[in-house]
Amino acid sequence: MSSNNNLLDVIIVGAGFAGLYGLYKLREAGFKVQVIEAGDDVGGTWYWNRYPGLRCDVDSLEYSYAFSDELQQEWRWSERYALQSEIHDYIKFAADRLDLRRDIRFGTRIASATFDSAAGQWALVAEGGETFAARYVVMATGPLSVPNKPHIPGLDSFAGQLVHSVQWPAEPLDLSGKNVAVIGTGSTGVQMIPLLAQEAAHLTVVQRTPAYTVPARNQEWNDARIAYWRDNFRELRQTARETRAGVLHEYGMYPAATVRPEDREADLERRWVKGGPNVLYGFSDLLRNEETNELVAEFLRGKIAAAVKDPAIAAKLMPYEYPVGTKRVCVGTDYYETYNRDNVSLIDLRSEPLKQIEPDGIRTEQGFYPVDVLILATGYDAMTGALLAIDIRTTGGTSLRSAWADGPQSYLGLGIAGLPNMFVVTGPGSPSVFSNMVLSAEHDVEWISDCLEYLRERGFPTIEADRAAQEAWMDHVDAAARGTLLNRAASWYRGANVEGKPQKFMPYVGGVNTYQAKCRAVAAAGYEGFVIGAATAGQRTGGEHQAAAG
Ligand code: NA7
């Protein structure tokens, strides 16, 4: 076991978009910061995930850092929906351009983090035993990194190659001449299925619940578009922050009932042709009004009927059991058309239940499908998985795993009662995955940095979310979701995709704009809802910032 005795101001866990910006911002503010990262490179989810067809479903010009003029002007995105390789290249470029790597420890996975209440500092222990100490910890562990590995009967007996989409091998998989099967038809399945079908001898898709899928209509950016963005990015980014999703969608202002039927249809069609998630933003009440929702759902089902030649297969691909938008809508290319290929079979588990996985294939109640390569596209233990993978506790007896036994509790997604001096970026209780993640990560990092400067200037050594403020915020988070149709789906937003996980709607859906205004008000009121502690005598001895107390 080795010990790193240098007391840092801040340890950031994770070197994805959030952790890298955290390092840059806090270093600029004069803090001594170290990032600890399990992977061997920067990138976070864009480092680990590398399955074929992986793209972000947010426009590349928006899914990138806004804080730096240099990055904005020097990087040129090639396409509307960038591939993983391009996003990863961008993150590496940012890390190099900002000289971040020298303060990142790679290949080091944190196993536990304990706050010593008497000393007022965190001790983090990595797998392998190395320890790190800091006054503050920022968890930039990301909402989508821990794979969801479902219990499927017979899975352990499978004798072929088993791959989880989240842990895709670094070397490309050779699928030519092989019988390939994919379990899962969320965003991951929808992105990879058309490409796997082109490569495999035969592709079998196992669908438990059909997804609503919209066409990406991906395209290369032309120079005029890039120039426009570079010239106007400050205003564009600010405008995005003032929207409810943190993305520059064309937001419809009116409920569907107030629009003439022929205009509704024409607008949906126009948005469908534009591609991406545009079709979801036509009416202001998609997630609040069942009739509006059904109107859009039926429009999307009609598109499935038009794309898939065999009406029986088309029917299997149509979602009916949950309102559109209550699970993340998938953005794909040629997804439905892929089912017109001769080398693709669809197992719809609703009409053809699974018996078991066998060493050489999949047995359902109707038949047997030979499989050489089995791909689990079964998603993530989202939002809480990475945080709960670390044993986070205090010497005073608080444990995150106990505190979150019935689901996550946080104040603004940023702080957790009982865990002083720990912040979370895009945590449960913040807009997080219900927004443009890069924009939200930037906001949270800036808020945390301002908060740490505030504490430093005043010589306050500890800050912790107040329990009553946290409860009130979580009630508000619950109420925001209950005011919508979002609890109608067994989605990963609610933890429903992971066996045994407590079900609770985790992201804050009241809007990025509303959330950021609330965070500003909290900060302006001297971090209202947080308990800010004065230094104890013991903490003062080692304190770097006490001189500025006042
Ligand atoms: P998702 O969206 O959670 O999708 C996982 C898929 O796997 C979904 O179709 C699930 O069906 C299916 N699944 C999960 N467990 C099983 C079992 N036991 N048997 C059969 N099928 C199963 O994960 P993705 O990786 O596609 O996308 C996650 C997010 O990443 C995405 O929303 C973007 O934000 C980026 P279900 O619908 O649960 O019935």
Side-chain angles (χ1 to χ4, degrees), residues 199-342:
E199 216 193 319
H202 193 90
L203 179 69
T204 302
V205 178
V206 181
Q207 170 189 273
R208 185 165 70 180
T209 315
Y212 292 94
T213 299
V214 295
R217 305 210 195 282
N218 193 29
Q219 57 187 275
E220 288 190 1
W221 290 130
N222 62 26
D223 290 343
R225 177 69 180 223
I226 296 288
Y228 171 77
W229 187 267
R230 284 181 179 159
D231 290 347
N232 297 288
F233 88 89
R234 288 194 173 285
E235 299 75 38
L236 291 166
R237 295 303 189 119
Q238 186 52 39
T239 305
R241 278 195 175 207
E242 287 157 15
T243 66
R244 63 176 193 264
V247 181
L248 294 168
H249 293 302
E250 182 196 345
Y251 295 90
M253 302 277 288
Y254 304 106
T258 67
V259 182
R260 288 187 315 177
E262 59 273 29
D263 292 344
R264 289 181 204 154
E265 199 66 22
D267 190 53
L268 286 171
E269 193 58 43
R270 182 182 64 78
R271 288 169 177 271
W272 173 262
V273 170
K274 248 175 121 181
N278 275 296
V279 73
L280 305 173
Y281 291 91
F283 308 116
S284 60
D285 58 345
L286 177 81
L287 290 177
R288 292 179 185 280
N289 183 299
E290 286 186 41
E291 278 148 36
T292 300
N293 196 284
E294 183 52 24
L295 181 83
V296 178
E298 194 49 30
F299 175 84
L300 295 174
R301 290 184 206 115
K303 295 296 183 189
I304 300 172
V308 181
K309 288 186 188 141
D310 180 338
I313 296 178
K316 289 178 183 175
L317 290 165
M318 289 181 192
Y320 281 98
E321 45 276 89
Y322 61 98
V324 58
T326 58
K327 286 187 173 197
R328 183 130 173 155
V329 169
C330 305
V331 179
T333 299
D334 294 337
Y335 176 65
Y336 294 120
E337 291 77 3
T338 297
Y339 293 93
N340 295 331
R341 295 175 65 106
D342 292 337

Side-chain angles (χ1 to χ4, degrees), residues 150-480:
H151 297 109
I152 298 175
L155 188 59
D156 291 345
S157 76
F158 183 65
Q161 186 169 9
L162 181 67
V163 180
H164 196 294
S165 61
V166 182
Q167 293 160 332
W168 201 264
E171 293 301 313
L173 271 184
D174 181 11
L175 301 178
S176 53
K178 303 240 169 86
N179 287 317
V180 178
V182 178
I183 300 180
T185 53
S187 297
T188 298
V190 164
Q191 287 185 336
M192 66 164 70
I193 284 164
L195 297 175
L196 299 177
Q198 286 170 26
E199 216 193 319
H202 193 90
L203 179 69
T204 302
V205 178
V206 181
Q207 170 189 273
R208 185 165 70 180
T209 315
Y212 292 94
T213 299
V214 295
R217 305 210 195 282
N218 193 29
Q219 57 187 275
E220 288 190 1
W221 290 130
N222 62 26
D223 290 343
R225 177 69 180 223
I226 296 288
Y228 171 77
W229 187 267
R230 284 181 179 159
D231 290 347
N232 297 288
F233 88 89
R234 288 194 173 285
E235 299 75 38
L236 291 166
R237 295 303 189 119
Q238 186 52 39
T239 305
R241 278 195 175 207
E242 287 157 15
T243 66
R244 63 176 193 264
V247 181
L248 294 168
H249 293 302
E250 182 196 345
Y251 295 90
M253 302 277 288
Y254 304 106
T258 67
V259 182
R260 288 187 315 177
E262 59 273 29
D263 292 344
R264 289 181 204 154
E265 199 66 22
D267 190 53
L268 286 171
E269 193 58 43
R270 182 182 64 78
R271 288 169 177 271
W272 173 262
V273 170
K274 248 175 121 181
N278 275 296
V279 73
L280 305 173
Y281 291 91
F283 308 116
S284 60
D285 58 345
L286 177 81
L287 290 177
R288 292 179 185 280
N289 183 299
E290 286 186 41
E291 278 148 36
T292 300
N293 196 284
E294 183 52 24
L295 181 83
V296 178
E298 194 49 30
F299 175 84
L300 295 174
R301 290 184 206 115
K303 295 296 183 189
I304 300 172
V308 181
K309 288 186 188 141
D310 180 338
I313 296 178
K316 289 178 183 175
L317 290 165
M318 289 181 192
Y320 281 98
E321 45 276 89
Y322 61 98
V324 58
T326 58
K327 286 187 173 197
R328 183 130 173 155
V329 169
C330 305
V331 179
T333 299
D334 294 337
Y335 176 65
Y336 294 120
E337 291 77 3
T338 297
Y339 293 93
N340 295 331
R341 295 175 65 106
D342 292 337
N343 71 333
V344 175
S345 315
L346 175 65
I347 301 175
D348 175 24
L349 294 177
R350 298 168 305 172
S351 56
E352 184 177 355
L354 184 86
K355 273 190 146 171
Q356 62 200 19
I357 308 288
E358 298 188 354
D360 53 352
I362 298 171
R363 188 165 302 280
T364 69
E365 290 192 355
Q366 268 103 309
F368 178 77
Y369 300 79
V371 180
D372 305 310
V373 181
L374 178 57
I375 297 168
L376 298 178
T378 47
Y380 303 85
D381 180 356
M383 302 206 70
T384 56
L387 287 165
L388 292 173
I390 301 172
D391 184 10
I392 299 173
R393 54 179 64 241
T394 68
T395 52
T398 303
S399 140
L400 185 67
R401 289 175 184 165
S402 309
W404 283 11
D406 297 327
Q409 305 277 338
S410 80
Y411 180 43
L412 303 172
L414 289 160
I416 299 167
L419 296 172
N421 293 8
M422 190 182 91
F423 298 94
V424 183
V425 184
T426 61
S430 77
S432 185
V433 288
F434 231 74
S435 70
N436 174 353
M437 284 297 292
V438 181
L439 180 146
S440 283
E442 284 192 340
H443 165 269
D444 291 5
V445 162
E446 286 160 12
W447 190 94
I448 292 165
S449 178
D450 289 348
C451 177
L452 291 181
E453 287 193 63
Y454 175 94
L455 297 175
R456 181 174 62 189
E457 279 161 21
R458 290 162 181 77
F460 294 133
T462 61
I463 182 163
E464 179 187 334
D466 172 62
R467 203 165 293 278
Q470 174 171 289
E471 276 169 21
W473 177 253
M474 290 319 289
D475 286 348
H476 177 61
V477 171
D478 281 349

Side-chain angles (χ1 to χ4, degrees), residues 405 495-503:
N497 62 327
V498 178
E499 285 170 46
K501 185 164 173 169
Q503 298 208 13

Side-chain angles (χ1 to χ4, degrees), residues 7-11 115 119-122 133-137 420-421 461 539 542-546:
L7 180 64
L8 296 154
D9 291 321
V10 188
I11 290 175
F115 184 73
Q121 66 189 53
W122 282 93
R135 294 192 182 289
Y136 300 96
V137 169
N421 293 8
Q539 289 162 7
E544 287 173 23
H545 305 315
Q546 309 313 326

